[in-house]
Amino acid sequence: MCGIIGYIGDQASAPIIIKGLKRLEYRGYDSAGIAVLKDGGLQLIRREGKLSNLEAALNLKEMTATLGIGHTRWATHGAPSEVNAHPHLDCTQKIAVVHNGIIENFHQLRHELSGRGHDLRSQTDTEVIAHLIEEAFTGDLYQAVKDALTHIEGSFALAVISSDSPDMLVGARKDSPLIIGVSPKAFFVASDIPAILDYTREIVLLENGEIARLSPQGYLIEQLDGTPVSRKSMTIDWDISAAEKGGFEDFMLKEIHEQPAAVRETLRGRIDENGRVGRVGLDDLGLDDDELRSLKKITIVACGTSLHAGMLAKQVIERWARLPVEVDCSSEFRYRDPILDEGTLVVAITQSGETADTLAGVRIAAELGAKVLAVTNVVGSTITRESDGVLYTFAGPEIGVAATKTLMAQMTALNLFGLLLAQARGRSNHEFAATVAELQRIPEKIASILENTAVLEDWAKTYHQVTDLLFLGRGFSYPMAMEGALKLKEISYIHAEGYPAGEMKHGPIALINPGLPIVVLAPKDSVYEKIVSNIHEAKARGATILAIATVGDKDILSQVEGVFYIPETLETLTPLLSVVPMQLLAYYIAKLRDCNVDQPRNLAKSVTVE
Ligand code: AGP
C-alpha cells in the first residue's frame, strides 16, 4: 500500500511531511514525493528509491509553506520511477494529488482526458484524478474534488492541495484507509496512524465514501453526496511499533487479517459486468486469446509457499482448461534440463519477484523458447523485466517473513487465470459463472473465519509443545496440507510434514505413535469419503485428529478430537478458506513458544541467493 500524509497548520509543512513519510517506510515503497505551496504556485519534488534520495533533493530551510502533501509509492500501475512517483499535477500545475488505491476505469479516463487535450505524463492511474479535478475546478477545490470523484471507479484514499486554495487541504476515501489528525493549530490527513503520532494522538477515522475539508482552523466531513457527517475524535494510546502493526501484535497477524482485502484488490477490475474474467485488469498478461488457445503445456516453477500456490494452480488450470500442467520447485527445475518449447508456457510464481532459483528457471525457459508469465506482488521486480507477461497480485507489501496474504492473492490470481484460459479455449460452462460469482464472495467468507478463532487458540494451547505434527489433505486440499506444515515449521520450529492422505499407507503411517496430532483437511468435496477413510486409518493407530471441515458437517464430529469449521464454497476455492485456520494455528502455537513470528530464525523474506 502507498503512504499518504498531508499537513495544514501554523508550522512549515515539509519537515513534518518527511518525518511522517519516514514513519510509513515500514510498509514498503519504491519512490517518494512531496508538494508544498511556494511563491503562489506549487513546488513538486519526487525521487525514485528510498526517502533519503528525496531528502537529499530538498532544501528544507527554503520550504516554509504551511500546506503540503507527501507520498511513498508502492507501485501498482506503472514501474517505479520519478515520473510515476506521487504527487501528480494537473495541466496548470496548480493542483497536486497523492493517492493510495486502484482506479479500475483509468484506461478509459486517460483516453477521454487525452482526447480533451490533457497532457498526461505518467503511466499511473492516479494522474487522471489531478486532471479530472482541474476540469471540475471553478474556484472551490473541495467541490471540484467531489465532482471529480463521481467519475472514478475503484479504490482511493486521497490528499489534494491547490495553489489557488492556500487555506485548504482535501482528503477523501473509498475502500482504502485515511485518517484525520487533529491538534490545536494544525490538521493532518494520513493513510496510517504512525505518520502523525509524533504530532498528535487525536484522530478522526474517515469512513468509506467520505470526504474532508481541512483548514488551519478546523475540519469538516461529509459523505461524497454532500450529507454532513459529525464524528468525534478518538485518542490513540498505541506506541509507534503497535501503530505500524495496526494494533495487531505482529505483522504476520495483521497480514492474515488483510487477506479479505488481498482477494478484493487482486480481483478488482478483472471481472466484467457480465461476470466473465475481463481483459482490462489483465493488461500486463502479454498473452492474447490466440496464444492462450495455442498452448500445449504449462510448466509452473516456484519455491516454498509460492510452490504450494503452483501445486493448487495445476489442479485449477487442468480442471478448467484441460491443459496439462506440470509443477516443479525452481531449485530442481533449473538443473533438470527441462523439456520446453514454443508450445509451453512457463508460469513463474514469486511474490517478491527476486527469488534466485525462480529467476534462474525463467532464464532457462527463455533460452529454450518458452514464453514466461510471472505471477508476482511487486511491480518492477526483477522477474517482471525478464518475463513476457506479468499477472500481478495486489496484496500490498508483506512485512512478515512467512507468506500469508501474498499466497492468498496468488491463489486468487491463479484461479482468475484458470478461468481466463477456459474462456479463451471455449471451455467456460455452467460452473464457470458460479465460480466467478463465488470468487467474489471469498473475502467475506475469510472474514467470517477470522472472527471465530477460539478453537484454534485452544488447539495451540493443547499442542504447542509437541515435537511432531502431520498435515493431511487430498485433491485441492493436498497443496494446502503442504502449506500448513510449512507455516508451522518456519515460525514455531516444530517438525511438521504435509502429505497426500492417500499416500500414508505406503509408509508414513508407520510414523503414527499414540497421540500424534494430525491436522486433516476434510472439506465436503469430491474426495470427502476418501479422506474420512484416511482419518479412520490414522485413528485406528492412535493418532489425534484435528479436522478442518465444512460448516454443517456433523458426521465428522464423532470421528475426530476437534473440528474447525470453514464456510461452504466450491471445491476449487476451498483452499482460499482452509489455509486461514492453518496460518492462525501456526501463529498461535509459535506465540506460545515465544518465537519471533515476523522474523523467524535462519529465514529471509526473499531468498535472492542460490
Ligand atoms: C513462505 O512463508 C516462505 N517465506 C518462503 O517459502 C517463500 O514462500 C519462498 O522463499 C518463495 O518466495 P517468493 O514467493 O518471493 O519467490
Side-chain angles (χ1 to χ4, degrees):
M1 290 79 79
C2 304
I4 287 173
I5 181 168
Y7 173 90
I8 187 165
D10 63 346
Q11 303 292 315
S13 57
I16 293 169
I17 288 168
I18 293 301
K19 187 166 187 179
L21 292 179
K22 282 181 177 175
R23 291 293 191 195
L24 296 176
E25 281 195 284
Y26 72 90
R27 297 156 65 107
Y29 65 99
D30 48 55
S31 54
I34 183 172
V36 298
L37 296 186
K38 183 176 174 77
D39 306 333
L42 287 178
Q43 182 178 15
L44 171 71
I45 301 171
R46 302 176 294 185
R47 287 293 184 273
E48 188 180 343
K50 290 303 173 196
L51 261 182
S52 53
N53 296 346
L54 178 65
E55 281 189 281
L58 303 180
N59 183 342
L60 290 176
K61 289 192 179 58
E62 287 177 4
M63 299 173 80
T64 57
T66 59
L67 171 65
I69 54 176
H71 189 266
T72 48
R73 181 174 184 244
W74 169 268
T76 53
H77 291 87
S81 66
E82 184 173 331
V83 76
N84 285 335
H86 303 204
H88 287 285
L89 305 183
D90 68 315
C91 299
T92 69
Q93 311 225 331
K94 291 184 171 183
I95 296 168
V97 177
V98 290
H99 167 233
N100 181 21
I102 293 176
I103 299 176
E104 295 174 27
N105 60 335
F106 90 96
H107 285 293
Q108 177 202 336
L109 291 171
R110 279 183 74 92
H111 177 70
E112 290 168 1
L113 287 162
S114 303
R116 294 197 292 267
H118 287 270
D119 175 18
L120 287 98
R121 300 175 185 80
S122 78
Q123 304 158 305
T124 67
D125 54 346
T126 302
E127 189 182 1
V128 302
I129 303 172
H131 295 276
L132 288 171
I133 297 171
E134 173 196 352
E135 286 193 339
F137 188 72
T138 55
D140 179 344
L141 179 65
Y142 179 67
Q143 187 57 47
V145 173
K146 277 203 279 190
D147 294 346
L149 292 177
T150 60
H151 303 285
I152 299 285
E153 293 167 20
S155 59
F156 55 80
L158 293 180
V160 185
I161 62 173
S162 168
S163 52
D164 283 349
S165 310
D167 286 334
M168 188 184 294
L169 168 62
V170 180
R173 66 153 291 196
K174 176 177 170 286
D175 293 342
S176 194
L178 195 70
I179 60 169
I180 295 174
V182 178
S183 72
K185 293 183 178 173
F187 296 86
F188 305 75
V189 290
S191 42
D192 205 349
I193 290 169
I196 57 173
L197 265 191
D198 292 300
Y199 305 101
T200 179
R201 288 186 171 276
E202 284 302 305
I203 69 156
V204 177
L205 294 176
L206 267 190
E207 301 295 347
N208 237 8
E210 292 182 348
I211 185 167
R213 181 174 61 197
L214 292 77
S215 74
Q217 289 75 39
Y219 65 91
L220 165 148
I221 301 175
E222 291 180 327
Q223 291 177 14
L224 285 169
D225 64 7
T227 309
V229 171
S230 163
R231 183 158 307 128
K232 292 196 180 318
S233 66
M234 57 194 287
T235 305
I236 294 294
D237 58 6
W238 294 340
D239 62 19
I240 283 289
S241 170
E244 287 177 349
K245 295 164 191 158
F248 290 98
E249 192 168 340
D250 301 282
F251 282 113
M252 182 180 176
L253 188 58
K254 176 184 176 195
E255 288 154 2
I256 288 171
H257 282 257
E258 287 177 340
Q259 291 186 114
V263 173
R264 268 196 299 274
E265 292 309 308
T266 299
L267 289 177
R268 191 178 292 280
R270 291 171 161 176
I271 294 172
D272 66 23
E273 59 281 356
N274 304 316
R276 291 172 63 81
V277 178
R279 276 283 180 171
V280 172
L282 296 168
D283 44 358
D284 295 305
L285 206 64
L287 291 159
D288 61 27
D289 280 3
D290 287 341
E291 288 169 310
L292 293 176
R293 265 191 291 276
S294 64
L295 290 177
K296 298 287 182 290
K297 178 178 82 168
I298 288 181
T299 295
I300 295 175
V301 295
C303 301
T305 288
S306 295
L307 176 60
H308 300 150
M311 290 166 66
L312 175 66
K314 166 186 169 63
Q315 298 194 49
V316 167
I317 292 169
E318 289 186 347
R319 165 71 67 90
W320 281 112
R322 304 310 298 159
L323 186 63
V325 181
E326 61 178 25
V327 188
D328 214 341
C329 63
S330 307
S331 53
E332 288 298 310
F333 174 82
R334 66 182 291 189
Y335 294 115
R336 67 171 170 83
D337 192 12
I339 300 167
L340 305 175
D341 60 25
E342 67 283 349
T344 306
L345 173 68
V346 170
V347 176
I349 307 172
T350 167
Q351 74 82 17
S352 63
E354 304 298 342
T355 297
D357 284 326
T358 302
L359 288 172
V362 160
R363 288 160 190 154
I364 290 167
E367 286 161 16
L368 295 174
K371 275 219 157 189
V372 177
L373 174 66
V375 181
T376 190
N377 196 50
V378 183
V379 174
S381 58
T382 301
I383 200 156
T384 63
R385 300 195 295 277
E386 302 196 18
S387 301
D388 300 291
V390 185
L391 173 57
Y392 279 113
T393 56
F394 293 109
E398 188 171 65
I399 314 297
V401 163
T404 50
K405 64 174 184 173
T406 52
L407 168 65
M408 188 62 73
Q410 288 170 346
M411 295 195 286
T412 303
L414 288 159
N415 265 283
L416 277 176
F417 183 61
L419 292 165
L420 182 72
L421 269 170
Q423 265 175 210
R425 298 168 76 92
R427 297 191 58 86
S428 50
N429 55 30
H430 66 283
E431 278 184 284
F432 187 93
T435 302
V436 174
E438 178 65 10
L439 196 48
Q440 298 173 87
R441 287 189 285 267
I442 289 295
E444 68 202 42
K445 294 189 174 185
I446 296 171
S448 68
I449 292 171
L450 295 169
E451 288 158 9
N452 298 292
T453 63
V455 166
L456 302 167
E457 294 175 77
D458 290 344
W459 289 2
K461 288 182 189 123
T462 307
Y463 301 104
H464 69 280
Q465 292 171 317
V466 299
T467 55
D468 294 285
L469 211 147
L470 284 183
F471 289 77
L472 301 181
R474 296 185 79 118
F476 289 89
S477 293
Y478 163 40
M480 289 307 106
M482 300 298 290
E483 174 59 14
L486 177 60
K487 282 284 116 9
L488 186 66
K489 275 183 274 202
E490 66 175 327
I491 64 172
S492 74
Y493 317 143
I494 291 174
H495 173 253
E497 200 167 348
Y499 222 77
E503 271 297 288
M504 283 295 288
K505 55 187 173 293
H506 299 286
I509 203 163
L511 275 176
I512 299 179
N513 291 314
L516 171 70
I518 302 180
V519 174
V520 180
L521 297 173
K524 280 281 189 173
D525 60 13
S526 59
V527 289
Y528 175 75
E529 283 69 28
K530 301 296 179 191
I531 200 76
V532 170
S533 303
N534 299 139
I535 286 173
H536 293 155
E537 284 167 9
K539 272 194 61 123
R541 290 155 179 84
T544 298
I545 307 295
L546 305 173
I548 293 175
T550 303
V551 68
D553 178 359
K554 299 285 184 252
D555 299 344
I556 202 155
L557 268 175
S558 60
Q559 305 175 63
V560 298
E561 188 68 26
V563 181
F564 182 87
Y565 284 109
I566 59 174
E568 185 171 359
T569 188
L570 300 172
E571 181 167 35
T572 51
L573 299 179
T574 299
L576 284 80
L577 301 185
S578 62
V579 74
V580 177
M582 294 191 295
Q583 294 167 339
L584 288 167
L585 178 62
Y587 173 80
Y588 294 133
I589 286 177
K591 292 298 286 181
L592 289 171
R593 295 168 65 94
D594 295 325
C595 294
N596 180 342
V597 294
D598 285 338
Q599 273 92 32
R601 67 186 183 196
N602 310 334
L603 295 183
K605 183 60 187 169
S606 175
V607 183
T608 57
V609 294
E610 188 174 353

